[in-house]
Amino acid sequence: MLKTVRIQALWRQSLGRHAPKQKQLRVLSRPYSTKSAKPTGSVIPLLGLTAVISMAAHEISSILGEDSVSYDDDDIETHGFSDWASTNSTGRAVAIVYPRSTEDVSKIAAICSKYGVPMVAFGAGSSIEGSFSSPHSGIVIDFTYMDKVVATHPDDMDVVVQPGVNWVDLNKSLEAEGLFLPLDPSPTATIGGMVSTNCSGTNAFRYGTMKDWVLNVTVVLADGKVIKTRRRPRKTSAGYNLTSLFVGAEGTLGIVTEITLKLAVVPKETSVAVISFPTVKDAASAATKVIRSGLQLAALELMDDVQMQVVNRHGGESVRMKNLDESPTLFLKFSGPTQEGVQADISQLQNLIKSCNPGKSYFARSKQEETDLWAARKEALWTMTSIKPEGHALWSTDVAVPISRLAEIIELSKKDAESLGVFASIIGHVGDGNFHEAMMYDPKNTAQKAAVQDAAYKMVGRALEMDGTVSGEHAIGMGKMNSLVDELGGDTIEVMKRLKQALDPKWILNPGKVFALPAGSTAVAAKRLE
Amino acid sequence: MLKTVRIQALWRQSLGRHAPKQKQLRVLSRPYSTKSAKPTGSVIPLLGLTAVISMAAHEISSILGEDSVSYDDDDIETHGFSDWASTNSTGRAVAIVYPRSTEDVSKIAAICSKYGVPMVAFGAGSSIEGSFSSPHSGIVIDFTYMDKVVATHPDDMDVVVQPGVNWVDLNKSLEAEGLFLPLDPSPTATIGGMVSTNCSGTNAFRYGTMKDWVLNVTVVLADGKVIKTRRRPRKTSAGYNLTSLFVGAEGTLGIVTEITLKLAVVPKETSVAVISFPTVKDAASAATKVIRSGLQLAALELMDDVQMQVVNRHGGESVRMKNLDESPTLFLKFSGPTQEGVQADISQLQNLIKSCNPGKSYFARSKQEETDLWAARKEALWTMTSIKPEGHALWSTDVAVPISRLAEIIELSKKDAESLGVFASIIGHVGDGNFHEAMMYDPKNTAQKAAVQDAAYKMVGRALEMDGTVSGEHAIGMGKMNSLVDELGGDTIEVMKRLKQALDPKWILNPGKVFALPAGSTAVAAKRLE
């Protein structure tokens, strides 16, 4: 598991450290709403708040040992700000604590509960919606040292892990058993963060999202009590589905400290095809045809012309050498237990898309070519980031719509972004009706920033008009709190808040995420806000 | 949708009407626990309770029309007792109401909330754990007239339905689109009941359980407020997963009045194989080999020697003519978009099981043979019921365990049942580690009944020792309330109860299911209990 720590360290180096260390913490609830776009904020006097949180941190340190608590400015900064996030808070934690067991987390929570101090769980720090920021200050709980595989049950096809385990490392450790966790988020992601955001990635079309692979979670509640949501059967209809309630709750209902994951069999045979189309509409209509045929692909991804240009010109050597077509392109992964089956799938695919104006097609003829072709898709995000000019920022976000509306929303969103004259590219998990748009802008250019933000709002608003969701796989964080209200309406949000209130009556678990903190909350930070 | 009503009518005719109409309602919490097996109960004086509930029923009738409310004794009886259930209550509702819209249900709930009257949602009445019984009396809400398909979106592969829609009817109506809802519970089941129990059946190995096919639900809350859990994207990570919380909650958190279901593509090519083995262990080990190979079967079912005898001797003509082997048997369904793929799967299956002592094998050579072979599996439950001697009862229940333990728990449970000298058979969804045991007994023979009940407890206890669940697909109802505590522990139950309390503070939604009613609840029935 050393590699996890290394990956995290690299990741953290890449996080920006530009945010000024302020004497006042500005509580920023960035509006992402299509309706009410007025920024809201209030100012917390630092002294009293810091004193209470410090008291809690020192009590934690006295119980878990001094090494378990960091007050280091850089440490606090890297846990409070991310270059990758479209939304950041200028609020910062007072201390970072490093538990080594569920019991440690339980003790931390009991102390924080006693003082009414906010607790923010921290995984790999790769949230793009500000899920791990500290708008109400408090204590960050970092799971770097809870990175153990607790038990592997190959015969039951499950594994028990701590939240700090990196999923790439986990899958490497399972290779010998021929098993894997079939999610595919950022390679830096840890299981804890993946649970908290209900992540997915390119494999979701075939395998579903994180909620579909979590058998149970051990959770430390707001007051330090520890529960386990269920045992290890692959199927159950016993009692409320607490597991699915904690998955995707972004640490606002409890802190997940152990996870039992269902595993899938690594497909014996795979193949890859890359096919370009004259328009996004053609590509989407080919994708729809494939989906409706019942052909079970392992992945069905879309990259737009801009994104194809980026990987073609700035990708790794093997990708650049392919000289892929620079028009909207589908990336298809085939998989199955037999070569005959995979071959039959490929033939059927070729028949299906004949009538959809396919352009250049690349069908992998070797394992190496398979890797090289898929690399174009895998390198997309990193390549795009690498061409970002110094000082520029990336506004990256995603939505999901019913699949028949995908082509339309992508085309409209592209048009909007193009009209701004900024770099904008689109990557779509087209099999799920889910896509990401990334726009580059100069944050010092206030007008440009506002225009980019406005284009993102428009995209979110359109997704709702099409009966979709404001977040397909990155959760709500701080970035989309208002949009969530637009999506679900006040009464549904009210039900969510009732559940929050029932499990975290002091609102100290990751406050200011998913929903704004209510007046009347008894958390320290909230008291300061009144 | 007329057929739904006919199926329901037939079903209802088959329900027993033997329960005495008592002047006192005995609140029965039947113990199903391995730890505490003491029956608990208390007696509610009928008069005051009935008067309050009647008042609510009359108010409903005055608003929705007299036709919407039934006080008929037979109607009340068929809504309160089931021959199929291992657990029944002697409690009965005062009235049955028949809403025709979400608005109707909202009005009903507002009235019941005002009077603190229990509400029990009723689908097809096929629960085997007493999920729809009325231990605390109250009003039953029957969805017979809410049986409409509200909207079909073939391009998005989803459908919006009311809870009274029968799933077999629904799938027939979707045939032309080449789509289906890939669940497979009792053919009588309605979508509402399937949502409320998180049902599954033979297709779960490939397609998952009900929770995996519900995109959103419209829910009437305890006080009559209406919410919708989300819109129609196939993927989302926006806010708490309320959908999965209401699925499987057995109507105790809210009343589901509209459901958007994800649909799958009907596989173009299918095939069926039936393969016998000398022992359950051999069959299970063959199944494990298949699962670990990554071969994606459409279904992987097990029937034991007794169940094979039953279908072989008492099944339909086409099944009897097959003269299947009367030893533990695997039923395998293959499916895919191409014939070559299905053929490759069959060949791989044959290779895989060579070393697992397979006995007689039947591979379907035509569509007709496919249907005939699968009929043996489909007819199992009905055939078994048809041979039940007059006056005898069936104790039928299921558990699920991690897949490596399935052979062991089946063998131990069979031994237990055999030692009682009663008829006992086993059907397993072996791909999910889930199986049903059905035992026949003479309810007048108190010792035999107690022994059968004890054998069922033992099976449930063993499932827990093996890290499994007390209910794989039939939910908790009244039958397994104590077992749920054994499975999850007091603290996890406490969290579930906090959610219940948050959404149904008067505990009027299907009280006495999932958990026992707490003292201090303000529901009418609970008040009587104090």
Side-chain angles (χ1 to χ4, degrees):
Chain A
M1 289 302 130
L2 262 173
K3 204 177 159 212
T4 306
V5 178
R6 270 206 312 280
I7 289 176
Q8 289 187 346
L10 284 168
W11 177 266
R12 282 172 196 169
Q13 279 168 23
S14 81
L15 295 176
R17 295 182 184 182
H18 323 301
K21 277 156 209 152
Q22 295 166 331
K23 281 288 162 203
Q24 287 195 319
L25 303 177
R26 188 167 162 75
V27 179
L28 179 69
S29 165
R30 189 190 287 264
Y32 212 124
S33 168
T34 50
K35 285 181 191 154
S36 61
K38 280 183 215 149
T40 58
S42 62
V43 173
I44 307 172
L46 190 62
L47 189 68
L49 172 65
T50 311
V52 178
I53 300 172
S54 293
M55 222 186 308
H58 283 105
E59 195 165 322
I60 292 167
S61 158
S62 75
I63 290 177
L64 302 188
E66 281 183 16
D67 287 357
S68 301
V69 182
S70 164
Y71 302 95
D72 177 78
D73 277 354
D74 278 353
D75 213 9
I76 286 169
E77 197 55 31
T78 53
H79 284 80
F81 178 84
S82 164
D83 244 356
W84 293 81
S86 306
T87 310
N88 273 293
S89 163
T90 50
R92 292 293 178 271
V94 167
I96 317 297
V97 299
Y98 294 89
R100 287 169 188 269
S101 66
T102 296
E103 292 65 39
D104 283 0
V105 179
S106 168
K107 286 171 191 162
I108 293 165
I111 292 166
C112 286
S113 175
K114 185 171 74 179
Y115 290 103
V117 164
M119 293 176 270
V120 180
F122 186 96
S126 47
S127 165
I128 63 167
E129 300 294 354
S131 296
F132 64 81
S133 57
S134 295
H136 297 284
S137 190
I139 280 170
V140 165
I141 304 175
D142 182 311
F143 287 97
T144 296
Y145 300 114
M146 286 181 68
D147 62 347
K148 311 289 177 299
V149 174
V150 178
T152 309
H153 306 114
D155 291 344
D156 296 325
M157 294 169 65
D158 67 48
V159 64
V160 185
V161 300
Q162 291 185 318
V165 168
N166 167 264
W167 70 273
V168 179
D169 288 349
L170 175 68
N171 280 347
K172 277 201 185 120
S173 78
L174 292 166
E175 259 171 21
E177 299 291 351
L179 297 170
F180 78 129
L181 174 70
L183 279 297
D184 183 31
S186 155
T188 58
T190 55
I191 304 295
M194 292 160 71
V195 165
S196 98
T197 54
N198 185 28
C199 84
S200 39
T202 63
N203 294 342
F205 175 52
R206 167 88 178 238
Y207 293 100
T209 63
M210 194 66 181
K211 70 178 165 32
D212 303 312
W213 296 91
V214 179
L215 288 177
N216 67 55
V217 283
T218 298
V219 181
V220 173
L221 300 174
D223 61 1
K225 201 172 262 183
V226 180
I227 65 157
K228 190 171 168 178
T229 53
R230 62 177 62 256
R231 301 188 186 202
R232 286 193 302 115
R234 278 174 97 80
K235 188 172 118 176
T236 179
S237 68
Y240 301 161
N241 191 345
L242 292 187
T243 312
S244 284
L245 186 64
F246 287 110
V247 174
E250 304 184 51
T252 64
L253 295 177
I255 301 168
V256 172
T257 59
E258 197 170 282
I259 306 103
T260 304
L261 296 162
K262 219 159 52 164
L263 299 171
V265 174
V266 178
K268 284 201 183 50
E269 303 294 336
T270 55
S271 198
V272 163
V274 173
I275 306 170
S276 69
F277 293 85
T279 64
V280 166
K281 207 170 166 185
D282 286 320
S285 112
T288 305
K289 228 170 161 185
V290 171
I291 296 169
R292 285 298 304 270
S293 77
L295 183 60
Q296 181 62 88
L297 294 174
L300 179 52
E301 299 280 303
L302 170 75
M303 281 169 33
D304 74 348
D305 49 342
V306 178
Q307 190 61 57
M308 290 306 294
Q309 282 166 21
V310 172
V311 293
N312 227 11
R313 300 176 192 181
H314 307 281
E317 200 190 336
S318 65
V319 173
R320 292 198 312 273
M321 279 175 62
K322 284 278 163 214
N323 192 26
L324 297 166
D325 213 8
E326 292 181 358
S327 61
T329 299
L330 289 182
F331 286 75
L332 306 104
K333 213 187 249 179
F334 305 85
S335 76
T338 65
Q339 218 170 10
E340 299 91 312
V342 168
Q343 228 17 60
D345 286 352
I346 292 173
S347 304
Q348 209 210 1
L349 183 275
Q350 286 168 324
N351 278 330
L352 281 167
I353 60 161
K354 261 183 202 157
S355 58
C356 304
N357 298 324
K360 255 167 114 178
S361 297
Y362 311 80
F363 285 85
R365 287 154 303 180
S366 66
K367 284 289 136 196
Q368 186 55 49
E369 203 173 6
E370 214 177 279
T371 311
D372 292 347
L373 283 171
W374 199 254
R377 169 63 191 85
K378 285 307 287 179
E379 287 173 9
L381 178 67
W382 305 94
T383 312
M384 192 174 52
T385 313
S386 73
I387 61 163
K388 179 164 69 79
E390 183 65 25
H392 271 54
L394 204 62
W395 193 292
S396 168
T397 195
D398 82 310
V399 296
V401 292
I403 44 181
S404 72
R405 308 299 298 273
L406 190 67
E408 191 184 345
I409 190 170
I410 288 180
E411 287 189 333
L412 289 169
S413 304
K414 274 180 75 69
K415 207 174 284 177
D416 268 350
E418 274 161 19
S419 75
L420 305 181
V422 299
F423 168 95
S425 76
I426 277 175
I427 301 180
H429 305 310
V430 64
D432 307 314
N434 175 215
F435 74 101
H436 307 234
E437 183 172 49
M439 291 175 279
M440 276 179 208
Y441 64 98
D442 177 1
K444 293 182 293 296
N445 181 339
T446 326
Q448 191 181 55
K449 187 178 171 184
V452 161
Q453 187 170 330
D454 190 54
Y457 295 162
K458 262 197 194 155
M459 181 174 102
V460 166
R462 258 188 217 114
L464 294 184
E465 281 163 22
M466 295 178 179
D467 230 1
T469 178
V470 301
S471 186
E473 55 178 22
H474 293 125
I476 295 302
M478 301 198 331
K480 288 179 171 171
M481 290 194 300
N482 291 335
S483 299
L484 185 67
V485 182
D486 294 343
E487 177 174 341
L488 302 174
D491 288 342
T492 302
I493 294 283
E494 186 50 41
V495 166
M496 290 184 181
K497 282 185 175 173
R498 274 202 247 165
L499 303 180
K500 165 78 174 169
Q501 182 74 29
L503 297 188
D504 179 21
K506 296 181 180 175
W507 284 63
I508 50 177
L509 289 167
N510 206 5
K513 315 296 165 60
V514 188
F515 325 106
L517 206 66
S521 157
T522 53
V524 165
K527 267 189 186 155
R528 304 277 149 189
L529 284 168
E530 277 162 17
Chain B
M1 287 301 128
L2 264 172
K3 210 184 152 201
T4 307
V5 178
R6 271 207 310 282
I7 289 177
Q8 290 188 346
L10 285 168
W11 177 266
R12 281 170 195 170
Q13 278 168 25
S14 80
L15 296 175
R17 296 183 182 184
H18 321 300
K21 278 159 207 149
Q22 296 166 332
K23 280 287 161 207
Q24 287 194 321
L25 303 178
R26 190 167 160 72
V27 178
L28 178 68
S29 166
R30 189 190 288 265
Y32 211 124
S33 168
T34 50
K35 284 184 193 151
S36 61
K38 282 183 214 147
T40 59
S42 63
V43 172
I44 307 173
L46 189 62
L47 191 66
L49 174 63
T50 312
V52 178
I53 300 172
S54 294
M55 220 185 308
H58 282 106
E59 195 165 324
I60 291 167
S61 155
S62 75
I63 289 176
L64 302 189
E66 280 183 19
D67 288 357
S68 300
V69 182
S70 165
Y71 303 93
D72 177 78
D73 277 355
D74 279 353
D75 213 9
I76 285 169
E77 196 56 30
T78 52
H79 285 80
F81 178 85
S82 166
D83 245 355
W84 293 83
S86 306
T87 310
N88 271 294
S89 163
T90 51
R92 291 293 177 271
V94 167
I96 317 297
V97 299
Y98 294 89
R100 288 170 188 268
S101 65
T102 297
E103 292 65 39
D104 283 0
V105 179
S106 168
K107 286 171 190 161
I108 294 164
I111 293 166
C112 285
S113 174
K114 184 171 73 179
Y115 291 103
V117 163
M119 293 174 270
V120 179
F122 187 96
S126 47
S127 166
I128 63 168
E129 301 294 354
S131 296
F132 64 81
S133 57
S134 295
H136 297 285
S137 190
I139 280 170
V140 165
I141 303 174
D142 182 311
F143 287 97
T144 295
Y145 300 114
M146 286 181 68
D147 62 347
K148 310 290 178 296
V149 174
V150 178
T152 309
H153 306 114
D155 291 342
D156 296 326
M157 295 170 66
D158 66 49
V159 64
V160 185
V161 301
Q162 290 186 318
V165 168
N166 168 264
W167 70 273
V168 178
D169 289 348
L170 175 68
N171 281 347
K172 275 196 189 124
S173 78
L174 293 167
E175 257 169 23
E177 298 290 352
L179 297 170
F180 78 129
L181 174 69
L183 279 298
D184 182 31
S186 156
T188 58
T190 54
I191 304 295
M194 292 161 72
V195 165
S196 99
T197 55
N198 186 26
C199 84
S200 38
T202 64
N203 294 344
F205 175 53
R206 168 89 179 235
Y207 293 100
T209 64
M210 193 66 179
K211 68 176 167 33
D212 303 312
W213 295 91
V214 180
L215 287 178
N216 67 54
V217 284
T218 298
V219 181
V220 172
L221 300 175
D223 60 1
K225 200 172 263 184
V226 181
I227 64 157
K228 189 170 170 181
T229 54
R230 65 176 62 255
R231 303 189 185 200
R232 289 195 299 115
R234 279 174 97 81
K235 188 172 116 177
T236 178
S237 68
Y240 301 162
N241 191 342
L242 291 185
T243 311
S244 284
L245 186 65
F246 287 109
V247 173
E250 303 184 50
T252 64
L253 296 178
I255 301 169
V256 172
T257 59
E258 196 169 283
I259 307 103
T260 305
L261 297 162
K262 217 159 53 165
L263 299 171
V265 174
V266 177
K268 286 205 180 50
E269 303 293 336
T270 56
S271 196
V272 163
V274 173
I275 307 170
S276 70
F277 293 84
T279 63
V280 167
K281 208 171 165 182
D282 286 320
S285 112
T288 305
K289 229 169 159 185
V290 172
I291 296 168
R292 285 299 304 269
S293 77
L295 184 60
Q296 182 60 86
L297 295 172
L300 179 53
E301 298 281 303
L302 170 76
M303 283 173 27
D304 74 349
D305 49 341
V306 177
Q307 190 60 55
M308 289 307 294
Q309 282 167 22
V310 171
V311 294
N312 227 9
R313 299 174 194 184
H314 307 280
E317 200 190 336
S318 65
V319 172
R320 291 199 311 275
M321 279 177 59
K322 285 276 162 213
N323 192 27
L324 297 167
D325 214 9
E326 293 182 356
S327 60
T329 299
L330 288 183
F331 286 74
L332 305 104
K333 211 187 251 180
F334 305 86
S335 77
T338 64
Q339 218 172 10
E340 298 92 312
V342 168
Q343 226 22 42
D345 286 353
I346 293 173
S347 304
Q348 208 209 3
L349 184 274
Q350 286 168 325
N351 278 332
L352 281 167
I353 61 162
K354 260 183 201 156
S355 58
C356 304
N357 299 323
K360 257 166 111 175
S361 297
Y362 312 79
F363 285 85
R365 286 153 305 181
S366 65
K367 283 290 136 196
Q368 187 55 50
E369 202 173 7
E370 215 177 283
T371 310
D372 293 347
L373 283 170
W374 198 254
R377 170 62 191 84
K378 284 309 288 179
E379 287 174 7
L381 179 68
W382 306 93
T383 312
M384 191 173 57
T385 313
S386 73
I387 61 164
K388 181 164 68 77
E390 182 67 25
H392 271 53
L394 204 61
W395 194 293
S396 168
T397 194
D398 83 309
V399 295
V401 292
I403 44 180
S404 71
R405 309 299 299 272
L406 190 68
E408 191 184 347
I409 190 169
I410 288 180
E411 286 189 333
L412 290 169
S413 303
K414 275 182 74 69
K415 206 175 281 176
D416 268 350
E418 274 160 20
S419 74
L420 305 181
V422 300
F423 169 94
S425 76
I426 278 175
I427 300 180
H429 305 310
V430 65
D432 307 314
N434 175 217
F435 73 101
H436 307 234
E437 185 173 49
M439 292 176 281
M440 275 179 206
Y441 64 98
D442 178 0
K444 294 182 291 296
N445 181 339
T446 326
Q448 191 183 55
K449 187 179 171 182
V452 161
Q453 188 169 329
D454 191 53
Y457 294 161
K458 262 196 193 155
M459 182 174 101
V460 167
R462 259 189 217 114
L464 294 185
E465 282 162 23
M466 294 177 180
D467 231 2
T469 178
V470 303
S471 187
E473 56 179 22
H474 294 126
I476 296 301
M478 300 196 336
K480 288 181 170 171
M481 289 194 300
N482 291 335
S483 299
L484 185 66
V485 182
D486 294 343
E487 177 174 339
L488 302 175
D491 288 342
T492 303
I493 294 284
E494 187 50 41
V495 167
M496 290 184 181
K497 283 186 174 171
R498 273 201 248 164
L499 302 181
K500 165 79 173 166
Q501 183 73 30
L503 297 188
D504 178 21
K506 296 180 180 175
W507 284 63
I508 51 176
L509 289 167
N510 207 4
K513 315 297 164 60
V514 189
F515 326 105
L517 207 63
S521 157
T522 52
V524 164
K527 265 188 189 155
R528 303 279 149 190
L529 285 168
E530 276 163 17

